[in-house]
Amino acid sequence: LEKRYGVIAVDLPAHGDSEGSFCDGLRSAKLIQNICSEIGPFEGTVAHSFGAAAVNLAIFDGAPLGRVVHIAPFVNIPHRAIEFAMCLG
């Protein structure tokens, strides 16, 4: 903040105060890419949990997010997807 950088906080769809009841990684990555297109590029990005996976997908597709810090990232996605499918039957 000393360098007068701005801070932007984003709630992904169906998270926090955002609308919706469903969220997926591809949709979230597209949202991040759209934010980058409108107001990026960014010097750095901090992401938590599922947001970390969405940030990784966005970076893979070229989003200019600068340095990245993940806090308690959502990891082992294939294993979690299998667990979720087993819960559904």
Side-chain angles (χ1 to χ4, degrees), residues 9-23:
V10 176
D11 283 330
L12 295 175
H15 286 77
D17 291 331
S18 291
E19 296 180 1
S21 58
F22 177 77
C23 183

Side-chain angles (χ1 to χ4, degrees), residues 22-34:
F22 177 77
C23 183
D24 68 74
L26 296 177
R27 180 177 172 203
S28 297
K30 183 65 176 167
L31 171 68
I32 293 166
Q33 291 169 339
N34 289 344

Side-chain angles (χ1 to χ4, degrees), residues 1-85:
L1 296 177
E2 186 177 294
K3 293 185 179 183
R4 300 196 180 271
Y5 287 119
V7 176
I8 299 166
V10 176
D11 283 330
L12 295 175
H15 286 77
D17 291 331
S18 291
E19 296 180 1
S21 58
F22 177 77
C23 183
D24 68 74
L26 296 177
R27 180 177 172 203
S28 297
K30 183 65 176 167
L31 171 68
I32 293 166
Q33 291 169 339
N34 289 344
I35 292 169
C36 289
S37 294
E38 290 182 28
I39 57 177
F42 296 100
E43 292 291 324
T45 305
V46 177
H48 172 256
S49 188
F50 182 79
V55 161
N56 287 344
L57 289 170
I59 290 170
F60 182 77
D61 285 336
L65 294 170
R67 295 181 176 143
V68 176
V69 174
H70 291 324
I71 300 172
F74 187 67
V75 296
N76 203 355
I77 294 172
H79 178 72
R80 297 293 175 225
I82 291 168
E83 281 182 344
F84 180 69

